[in-house]
Structure formats: structure tokens, C-alpha cells
Amino acid sequence: MNHVIRISGGALLALSTLVAAAKADELFKLANNQRISCSRGLAPGKLNTATCKSYTYIFNTRTSEYYRCQVSLALTRDNKEVINVQTDGSCSKKPRIFETDSHYAFDATETEPPNTNSFFGQGGYSIWAADTTQQKVRGCITISSGLGSDISKCLDMTFQ
């Protein structure tokens, strides 16, 4: 019986060490600020449509490349039943925030349209990234120019 307890204890210790090491070396991190926005519309014939969108960011903790991911669901119904459900979603790759590989942490947030912050169309977003091996933080803001392209600028923070 003692032999079984020792083997089980050793296996649990080895497993917890592997889990801790895997967590410390996670290459991709999911942003903590997922948002959802929904809109509702009325169509001829007493049809109701609700559309919801949600987004998040996936960040490569070694290279500082990131992806913006969005999922949407549209539901159309009349007074008695659901007529149609459509879903869509994808992730689009964005450029690196830092030029060199290191260990990075990040967070992201986004304005939701319609919003007073979205002057020229869909809302913008901000990304904050920090090099966890040194005191280095970069803040980036991206907004739509209203002319079919996004304008993105990043700034290194100074510490006083």
C-alpha cells in the first residue's frame, strides 16, 4: 500500500511540475478583454434580426505578433419561430509590436461601434505590450482613417 501511495505521489508531483512549466512557457496568450456587442433590427413582415459580434486578440509572447479574432452570429425570427441563423468568424494577423524576440505580456481593448471614439467608421483598438525581461512598455493605437485603411502608431513609454 505504501508503495502505491509513493508512486501516486511521485506521479502527481511530476505532473504538477510539467503543468507549471507548460504554463510558464505558453507561446500564445488570449487577451483578457473580450467584448460583445449586439444590435437589433426590424424587417418587413414582422421579422426581427439580432446580430452579435465578439472579438479577442491572440498574442505571441515570444515574437509580439498578434491576431485579431472576431466571431458573429445573426438570428432572424418572426413571432413564432427562428427562421435563420448565420455565423461567421476569423482571425487576421497583425504586425509585430517589438522588433526582437523576448518574453512579452500584453492586453488589448477596443471601441464598439457606434461609439463617440469611432470618428471615421468602425471603432479603433489599443494594444499594450511589455517586455517581461526588462522595463519596456509599448502602447499602440489603431483607428480607421475613413479612407479604407487603418492608421496605427506605437509609442515606447518613458519611466520618470
Side-chain angles (χ1 to χ4, degrees):
M1 184 69 171
N2 282 338
H3 185 65
V4 172
I5 292 173
R6 284 184 196 153
I7 291 173
S8 297
L12 286 175
L13 180 62
L15 181 61
S16 64
T17 303
L18 288 173
V19 169
K23 191 165 187 84
D25 290 336
E26 289 178 337
L27 184 58
F28 292 96
K29 293 280 188 174
L30 181 67
N32 295 322
N33 288 323
Q34 298 87 14
R35 298 286 190 261
I36 186 169
S37 63
C38 296
S39 62
R40 199 172 61 150
L42 298 173
K46 297 184 181 183
L47 295 179
N48 294 307
T49 301
T51 304
C52 293
K53 293 182 180 180
S54 182
Y55 71 89
T56 193
Y57 293 85
I58 305 294
F59 186 78
N60 186 315
T61 60
R62 184 174 29 89
T63 66
S64 78
E65 291 175 328
Y66 64 100
Y67 298 80
R68 183 188 183 278
C69 301
Q70 179 173 307
V71 63
S72 65
L73 180 138
L75 169 77
T76 303
R77 69 176 182 89
D78 61 15
N79 290 335
K80 297 179 183 176
E81 65 181 332
V82 172
I83 297 171
N84 188 19
V85 176
Q86 296 179 335
T87 57
D88 189 21
S90 66
C91 295
S92 58
K93 186 176 180 179
K94 303 297 182 179
R96 289 176 74 127
I97 296 172
F98 292 101
E99 296 76 28
T100 58
D101 289 358
S102 187
H103 295 283
Y104 297 107
F106 89 111
D107 207 352
T109 190
E110 187 165 325
T111 60
E112 299 289 348
N115 188 300
T116 56
N117 294 325
S118 55
F119 300 109
F120 307 115
Q122 296 291 320
Y125 62 90
S126 65
I127 299 284
W128 284 92
D131 187 331
T132 60
T133 64
Q134 57 185 315
Q135 191 175 18
K136 186 173 185 178
V137 177
R138 187 168 286 174
C140 304
I141 294 180
T142 301
I143 63 169
S144 171
S145 69
L147 303 172
S149 63
D150 290 342
I151 303 298
S152 183
K153 294 291 178 180
C154 294
L155 181 67
D156 287 330
M157 298 293 109
T158 57
F159 295 87
Q160 301 173 9

